[in-house]
Amino acid sequence: MFILDTLLVKPLMTIADTLHTMAVNEVYDVGAIQDQLKETRLLYELGELDRETYETRSEELRDDLELAEEMQQKLLSGNVQVAQT
Amino acid sequence: MTEYLYTYGVTDDGSFELDLPAVEDATSVYTVDYRRYSAIVSDIDTMEPEQTDENARLHDDVLQALIEDRTVVPMRFGMTFKNARALKSVLRGGQRAFRRALMNVDGKVELGVKLVTEEGVDVDREAVRDDVRERLGEVSNDRAENDLFSDRLVVNDSYLVAHEDREAFDEVMGDVTEAYEGQLKVQYTGPWAPYNFVDIEIGAQGAQ
């Protein structure tokens, strides 16, 4: 349904474009990474993660988040290239 | 250096000035008043404070210190005004909303309750939620449901609790912790400023 809805809204968008947008959205899911950050913080506060693990994991997730936000931005501006394999 | 005003919240408990560590290294918190409403502010040299953990903690610390003996309608992080005139015009325009919000939260604090499954434990989530909400509903005025951002989160609620019900709420939380020992970990936090129980949107024009 999502693809059809999107194509109806943006009839000039090809199916390849739409699939690509969906793929990028899934890989660079800002909300999911933010949730993982919050979960990591919660588990640290509950004593399940030690400080070192918490800090390492949070730092990795912050890097992921930064990349995801950057990619989403590029996606919105239409500057993402699809790699052909 | 241009100085702007960073806002923490609004109170009707009168004007004051306090030495407190505040957002972006400010050291003093004071009020900008319009009639009976006082916006709680500190000086800041940017319109867009950095959203760092440290700044977020300072924003919250200021509110924590103030709610001990005042009723405060909290603002979300980042509300900055160009000058006292702009802020006063927001206080003037928002009088009705501030009055209503202050009435709703007068004499009450927000408490946070999170229940998280122990690793590898499965529980009847719906039954746990119903049970906990029923127990806590009897010792609170209102409840707000927050985002279940982790698969292990069963409950993530905020409660609005009157000062005189704090002890009873603590006791019920003790019962809840005992009832689910071995199945659920409990995180009980607060008191917080009542972020989840006021809904005031300040228009962008107010911040200019």
Side-chain angles (χ1 to χ4, degrees), chain B residues 88-120:
Chain B
K88 282 183 187 191
S89 97
V90 166
L91 290 177
R92 187 178 62 239
Q95 285 180 87
R96 191 181 291 179
F98 289 126
R99 185 171 61 240
R100 202 167 41 235
L102 281 160
M103 265 170 58
N104 283 346
V105 299
D106 185 30
K108 303 179 188 88
V109 290
E110 179 173 323
L111 299 169
V113 177
K114 287 189 180 74
L115 267 70
V116 182
T117 54
E118 294 275 5
E119 262 182 305

Side-chain angles (χ1 to χ4, degrees), chain A residues 35 39 42 45 48 62, chain B residues 53 149-150 152 185 187:
Chain A
D35 283 355
E39 183 184 56
L42 177 63
E45 286 171 355
E48 247 180 61
R62 280 204 186 91
Chain B
D53 286 354
F149 55 80
S150 162
R152 288 179 56 191
K185 286 182 177 177
Q187 189 189 52

